[in-house]
Amino acid sequence: MPAPFLSHVGGLEVESYFDPASATFSHLLIDSPSRQAMLIDPVLALEASTGRIDTQQADRILQRLQARELRLSAILETHLHADHISAADYLRSLTGARIAVSAAVPAVQKSLRRLYKLPPLSMQPFDLLMADGEQLNFGELQVQAWHTPGHTPACLSWLVLQEGRHSAAFVGDTLLAPDLGTGRCDFPGGDARQLYRSINRLLSLPPQTPLYFCHDYPPQERDAAWMTTVEEQRQCNLQVRDGISEDAYVALRQQRDATLAPPRQMQAALQLNLFAGRLPEPLSDGQRYMKVPLSLD
Ligand SMILES: [Fe+2]
């Protein structure tokens, strides 16, 4: 497992952990003075051929928290991911951290419950449903939720506020590295026009603001990149740099989405992530099961 990428934003430390199987970054935010940490988009690895769930990366982050005597105060999801299983519930059970998502998540949960023929939720598996602009305290800092839909209807970007100013944004699957463009918009409820507007909002932040990705799919000629800046995206992004109109972007996005296969772990990811990554209860044989809808073409 690769070592985390380290960066600083003012007084905030960021450790970015890469899961090569799903190409996902989990970002650990550390506020040393208050000994608090927040974790964005943690991953449970799934070995699809055997159904084996691997907690190695989540455990590694836990060990890191313990070694530095940090308290995990919150787990922040940028959206209900379709390409990996969230480790949010697993880490909550071990740390007591609260899990925060978009206030738009219940509508997505409802459509996923319909898709997988699941009963109504007996209780909401997420602790905090964040409206646009709502904030969480994080030592002397604040973390603010921005509703940035388009990739899915319930995507949030998480912005760090230092002395009242937006100093960094964790943008989920809105933007990818500049040479790749943006997140896809062909999942249920995805909308390229909405994503264009969400991205424009993020790109209205000051030019040097760091933007941290949820994914990277690096071509052979470069290493994985975990962050960029507003300026770099505005100058170089393949699909949304300055000068590309909303209509031109929508056409580009739809063309690209038509070529993309569904993520390999999509069935597992969607039906577990609607419960914050909690595994289904075992049946009488002690085994946990998931559903896979089949189709005959
Ligand atoms: Fe995603």
Side-chain angles (χ1 to χ4, degrees):
M1 198 170 285
F5 300 98
L6 309 179
S7 52
H8 285 86
V9 183
L12 179 75
E13 290 174 61
V14 183
E15 297 186 357
S16 301
Y17 293 79
F18 191 57
D19 169 49
S22 62
T24 303
F25 284 108
S26 304
H27 303 287
L28 181 65
L29 282 54
I30 299 171
D31 179 53
S32 281
S34 66
R35 294 200 175 282
Q36 273 187 71
M38 288 191 177
L39 180 58
I40 301 181
D41 292 335
V43 174
L44 284 183
L46 169 69
E47 194 179 271
S49 58
T50 60
R52 188 176 155 266
I53 302 275
D54 177 351
T55 62
Q56 213 183 334
Q57 190 176 91
D59 293 337
R60 182 181 179 198
I61 295 172
L62 273 178
Q63 284 158 13
R64 182 78 177 136
L65 292 167
Q66 282 157 6
R68 291 195 53 177
E69 298 179 3
L70 298 166
R71 183 176 73 86
L72 188 66
S73 57
I75 298 165
L76 314 175
E77 293 282 13
T78 54
H79 59 296
L80 298 194
H81 304 275
D83 54 10
H84 66 267
I85 300 169
S86 168
D89 181 71
Y90 174 72
L91 287 168
R92 171 174 57 190
S93 70
L94 296 170
T95 64
R98 293 177 303 168
I99 307 172
V101 288
S102 164
V105 153
V108 178
Q109 288 173 310
K110 200 171 169 188
S111 62
L112 290 174
R113 280 200 296 102
R114 265 199 221 119
L115 180 65
Y116 290 105
K117 307 289 179 280
L118 299 167
L121 299 172
S122 54
M123 65 181 273
Q124 176 52 255
F126 296 101
D127 303 296
L128 300 165
L129 299 176
M130 305 288 290
D132 184 65
E134 239 183 301
Q135 297 181 15
L136 299 174
N137 286 325
F138 182 34
E140 293 292 304
L141 318 177
Q142 293 81 37
V143 173
Q144 186 179 48
W146 277 18
H147 188 47
T148 49
H151 169 62
T152 77
C155 285
L156 282 186
S157 294
W158 292 99
L159 281 89
V160 176
L161 282 160
Q162 298 193 50
E163 293 168 1
R165 296 201 350 242
H166 292 117
S167 61
F170 294 81
V171 301
D173 288 6
T174 56
L175 285 158
L176 302 175
D179 57 344
L180 300 179
T182 76
R184 62 197 292 177
C185 294
D186 58 335
F187 293 146
D191 183 328
R193 270 180 207 287
Q194 256 187 351
L195 183 57
Y196 184 86
R197 292 168 196 176
S198 294
I199 288 172
N200 264 1
R201 186 178 176 200
L202 291 165
L203 296 185
S204 68
L205 289 163
Q208 293 314 315
T209 311
L211 304 175
Y212 288 81
F213 313 122
C214 179
H215 293 292
D216 191 26
Y217 310 95
Q220 256 180 356
E221 58 273 18
R222 68 166 175 83
D223 295 330
W226 71 102
M227 61 172 283
T228 179
T229 61
V230 166
E231 185 173 34
E232 197 186 354
Q233 292 284 14
R234 290 184 61 166
Q235 285 177 3
C236 309
N237 187 287
L238 184 69
Q239 295 171 331
V240 288
R241 65 184 176 273
D242 286 357
I244 297 183
S245 68
E246 182 174 314
D247 285 344
Y249 167 71
V250 170
L252 276 171
R253 189 65 263 164
Q254 287 173 348
Q255 230 172 33
R256 173 82 180 125
D257 286 346
T259 68
L260 298 175
R264 271 178 297 143
Q265 296 186 14
M266 188 171 79
Q267 302 297 350
L270 289 178
Q271 64 190 291
L272 298 185
N273 289 346
L274 90 103
F275 300 107
R278 187 167 62 219
L279 303 184
E281 289 303 312
L283 298 188
S284 54
D285 61 354
Q287 180 64 52
R288 301 170 199 271
Y289 293 91
M290 282 186 327
K291 295 177 179 173
V292 179
L294 302 175
S295 57
L296 266 179
D297 289 332

